[in-house]
Amino acid sequence: LSLMGYFSNIVSLLAVNVYVFFFEIGLGPIPWLIVAEMFDARYVSTAMSAASQLNWACNFFIGLMFPFINEYLHNYSFVPFAVVLLATFVFAFFLLPETQGSTPDELLQGLIRKHSATVYHDFNIEEQYVNPLDVEWKVAMEQLKKDEEKDMANGAFDYGFDPI
């Protein structure tokens, strides 16, 4: 509205600062709060990493696209952001579970009850994942140890130096 002459530049600057202030105490920290509340402690770092990467990817995308949005929508360039904000509000209000007074285990049990008929994969996340390369390495080292013990018993083991 400042560009259209309705307000002075100072009013626009103050409005942007007020927006940033309320964003930082309102919607700004929500991705971090939701991730910390929705996941068990052992998965929080992985989920936080994914949320952070998605957040910065979206920021990068918006930074690239905003000049084009502003060029085509002119004074209405923030309407798409208002629509996304409305969709976020509807999503948070209707689909996100209330976490106040509940533990991550209770949230997990509630999500399991809600989605118990849906099978996403047959991978058990509770089992310890074993990297195939680690298994191959372990087998190779055990075989090397057996070969060395056999050579030591036969007196043919090379200790890495020549006897005096």
Side-chain angles (χ1 to χ4, degrees):
L1 295 174
S2 174
L3 295 175
M4 297 170 54
Y6 294 118
F7 296 112
S8 70
N9 291 339
I10 296 297
V11 172
S12 296
L13 181 63
L14 289 174
V16 168
N17 284 325
V18 168
Y19 165 77
V20 169
F21 174 76
F22 282 105
F23 178 78
E24 291 303 324
I25 63 170
L27 289 176
I30 284 180
W32 319 128
L33 294 174
I34 288 175
V35 170
E37 297 240 349
M38 294 291 293
F39 290 92
D40 193 26
R42 60 184 162 195
Y43 304 119
V44 167
S45 61
T46 303
M48 194 71 74
S49 175
S52 179
Q53 290 175 11
L54 179 64
N55 188 3
W56 281 107
C58 291
N59 288 339
F60 180 73
F61 178 73
I62 289 170
L64 286 178
M65 297 308 296
F66 186 76
F68 300 107
I69 293 172
N70 194 29
E71 181 181 332
Y72 292 111
L73 297 179
H74 304 293
N75 295 333
Y76 301 102
S77 59
F78 288 97
V79 170
F81 301 106
V83 170
V84 169
L85 182 61
L86 178 65
T88 302
F89 176 77
V90 169
F91 172 77
F93 190 76
F94 290 110
L95 296 176
L96 284 180
E98 177 59 48
T99 60
Q100 184 176 3
S102 60
T103 66
D105 289 332
E106 291 170 348
L107 288 172
L108 180 63
Q109 293 304 318
L111 289 173
I112 289 171
R113 270 193 311 276
K114 183 178 178 183
H115 301 291
S116 62
T118 305
V119 177
Y120 293 104
H121 49 70
D122 58 357
F123 182 73
N124 186 355
I125 61 171
E126 298 299 325
E127 290 179 3
Q128 184 67 24
Y129 173 73
V130 179
N131 186 345
L133 291 177
D134 291 340
V135 173
E136 185 177 340
W137 179 260
K138 184 177 179 182
V139 169
M141 293 307 292
E142 288 173 357
Q143 181 62 40
L144 182 63
K145 184 178 178 183
K146 287 179 185 177
D147 291 345
E148 288 177 351
E149 289 172 351
K150 181 178 162 189
D151 287 345
M152 284 182 200
N154 295 336
F157 182 72
D158 181 14
Y159 288 96
F161 58 88
D162 292 330
I164 300 178

